[in-house]
Amino acid sequence: LKRSAPAPLASCQLPPPGALGTPFLAGAARAASGGAMVRYAAVEGGGTTFVVCIGEERLGEPTCILERAEFPTRTPSETLSAVASWLSARQYDALGVAMFGPVDLDQSSATWGWITTTPKLGWQNTNVMGPLMAVRTVPCGFDTDVNAPALEEFRHFARPGETSCAYVTVGTGIGVGLVVNGRCVRGLVHPEGGHIPTLKRRAGDTFRGVDKTHPWCVEAQCSAVALAERAGVSQAELKDLPDDSEVWQDAAYMLGALCATLCALLSVERIVLGGGVMLQKSLFPKVRLATREILNGYISHPKVLQDGPDGIDGYIVPSVRGNDAGVFGALALASDAYKQAGRVGKRASPSSVQSTAALGESSEDSMSEEVRERRRDSSAGYGVGHVGAAFLGGALIATLGAAALLAVGGARRRGL
């Protein structure tokens, strides 16, 4: 599905040339003077496109995008060089990177900031953060391209009292980002919700899936790639399928099963659905209906049982940011990194690089000299390094059990 046109930029005026000064220290000086105007750079790395932008945060106002650009995702060296070149021509006080994965988020690892076991050809074991951090010495935040928008959706659009949010992107792949108790979820690696087993609507649905490793998973069964193959059309032609197409009915049920699993396992207070497939707005009522049917009254809460904005219509929702959710998520990572660096009293200098994961601690000073040396070596290029092998993590095992229970319940209701 084609990326929709970017939303109009917020009405922020650029300062006069030369007003930016030294990165990070300039932002600190502006804040100290009462202007509280800080500039962030954001990178959203996707399987087909990289989006970069400069955003500005002012006291009491939401971050607005001043400038943005897009680059097609080619080889790692081509793509990262283009992004680094764009960033090098601009001044900013912190950097946030939201990247397709799986990625290494372990700050003590020599391969922190790397893409690891991705199925995208040519991108396995790619050092992303090394080249980008080499552009400018500022605080940096790094997370997945679904955790970051989950953080953004929670931070700016949660209802009073809410402490959790799930962000699900449904495009060429399917990913799930999670915020629980106000923090992005991490563990062995990070959530890989697109690779949990799916629940099919029809006994006659024999589609084998487009993923050789996990043909039974949500991503293999109802990503844009899978849906196009089911329908016998190109991905660009999916949008032309009628709303009552069996393909959309099947997709809605499988996505409803995913939402039911998130509800039953994590008890999240809001589920945000984004990505190219969800531009098909007729999917939302179908997904809500499927979620309710699969849960079958077991979760007794108005957000599931009732209709309307205070019911399921306000529980399973489209992203407020639309297709810009990822880049705004990366801006949220940059903001967190900048504020965390300020809290621990650190400032950038030509001899050090500070990196701060979203809602985490600065890692460079707590790292062993051996790990620090290995990271410096790794930032020189895009070579292969040893990578953490945990792909799905312990949370997936628990999810498998929950999905199995839901599958049994669904089969019984359909008389299978």
Side-chain angles (χ1 to χ4, degrees):
L1 294 177
K2 293 183 179 179
R3 176 182 288 270
S4 61
L9 299 184
S11 57
C12 295
Q13 293 193 352
L14 296 169
L20 287 170
T22 305
F24 189 56
L25 289 177
R30 286 196 293 270
S33 67
M37 184 176 64
V38 184
R39 289 211 167 178
Y40 302 127
V43 178
E44 177 200 3
T48 57
T49 306
F50 270 58
V51 181
V52 293
C53 80
I54 299 294
E56 186 173 86
E57 184 179 72
R58 297 175 181 176
L59 186 63
E61 298 180 11
T63 301
C64 61
I65 295 178
L66 303 175
E67 185 181 7
R68 63 179 286 158
E70 297 187 5
F71 302 96
T73 305
R74 296 195 173 105
T75 66
S77 58
E78 286 179 288
T79 308
L80 295 174
S81 293
V83 171
S85 177
W86 191 90
L87 290 174
S88 67
R90 288 150 181 88
Q91 300 283 359
Y92 49 89
D93 303 308
L95 170 67
V97 179
M99 189 58 50
F100 71 90
V103 296
D104 187 350
L105 299 179
D106 181 358
Q107 287 260 306
S108 66
S109 168
T111 54
W112 171 86
W114 289 48
I115 294 173
T116 59
T117 53
T118 179
K120 185 167 181 61
L121 293 177
W123 281 81
Q124 295 88 353
N125 305 326
T126 293
N127 178 10
V128 173
M129 289 303 287
L132 301 184
M133 290 169 64
V135 174
R136 203 168 303 287
T137 308
V138 295
C140 299
F142 178 68
D143 214 317
T144 68
D145 60 350
V146 280
N147 259 358
L151 179 64
E152 164 68 11
E153 289 282 345
F154 172 77
R155 187 72 54 78
H156 293 106
F157 306 111
R159 293 186 177 187
E162 289 183 351
T163 61
S164 60
C165 173
Y167 177 85
V168 181
T169 183
V170 188
T172 54
I174 293 179
V176 179
L178 295 169
V179 171
V180 175
N181 293 329
R183 293 175 177 266
C184 289
V185 171
R186 299 177 183 176
L188 292 179
V189 281
H190 48 75
E192 279 290 346
H195 287 259
I196 68 171
T198 191
L199 176 60
K200 293 188 176 184
R201 179 177 69 96
R202 298 177 290 113
D205 184 349
T206 59
F207 183 70
R208 298 183 64 179
V210 295
D211 187 303
K212 293 180 180 178
T213 306
H214 304 132
W216 34 258
C217 73
V218 185
E219 181 175 277
Q221 291 290 329
C222 66
S223 64
V225 177
L227 295 179
E229 190 169 316
R230 281 173 174 271
V233 301
S234 69
Q235 291 183 53
E237 294 171 320
L238 276 175
K239 65 181 185 304
D240 300 323
L241 295 178
D243 289 344
D244 61 354
S245 167
E246 190 168 69
V247 169
W248 296 131
Q249 301 294 335
D250 289 341
Y253 198 84
M254 288 183 281
L255 292 173
L258 175 58
C259 291
T261 299
L262 292 171
C263 177
L265 181 65
L266 296 165
S267 200
V268 290
E269 293 155 301
R270 191 161 55 106
I271 300 173
V272 181
L273 303 181
V277 169
M278 297 312 301
L279 296 176
Q280 192 80 16
K281 297 303 181 185
S282 63
L283 273 175
F284 279 91
K286 295 181 177 69
V287 171
R288 293 170 184 138
L289 183 63
T291 303
R292 182 184 284 167
E293 178 185 335
I294 292 166
L295 290 172
N296 198 27
Y298 185 75
I299 303 297
S300 182
H301 194 283
K303 285 187 175 182
V304 175
L305 301 178
Q306 296 180 8
D307 295 324
D310 294 325
I312 200 165
D313 297 332
Y315 181 54
I316 300 173
V317 297
S319 170
V320 177
R321 297 295 193 189
N323 267 7
D324 283 334
V327 74
F328 271 100
L331 286 170
L333 296 178
S335 174
D336 279 359
Y338 180 84
K339 291 167 185 173
Q340 178 67 18
R343 281 197 296 272
V344 297
K346 296 191 174 180
R347 292 295 182 265
S349 68
S351 61
S352 67
V353 174
Q354 285 119 26
S355 61
T356 309
L359 298 171
E361 294 183 354
S362 179
S363 66
E364 203 70 19
D365 285 284
S366 62
M367 205 178 298
S368 71
E369 182 57 36
E370 178 186 357
V371 171
R372 211 174 322 173
E373 184 63 36
R374 287 156 67 194
R375 181 177 294 179
R376 280 196 293 268
D377 292 342
S378 73
S379 67
Y382 312 106
V384 175
H386 67 277
V387 181
F391 181 45
L392 299 180
L396 178 56
I397 297 173
T399 308
L400 292 174
L405 290 175
L406 292 172
V408 171
R412 286 175 178 169
R413 287 192 298 280
R414 298 193 302 277
L416 300 179

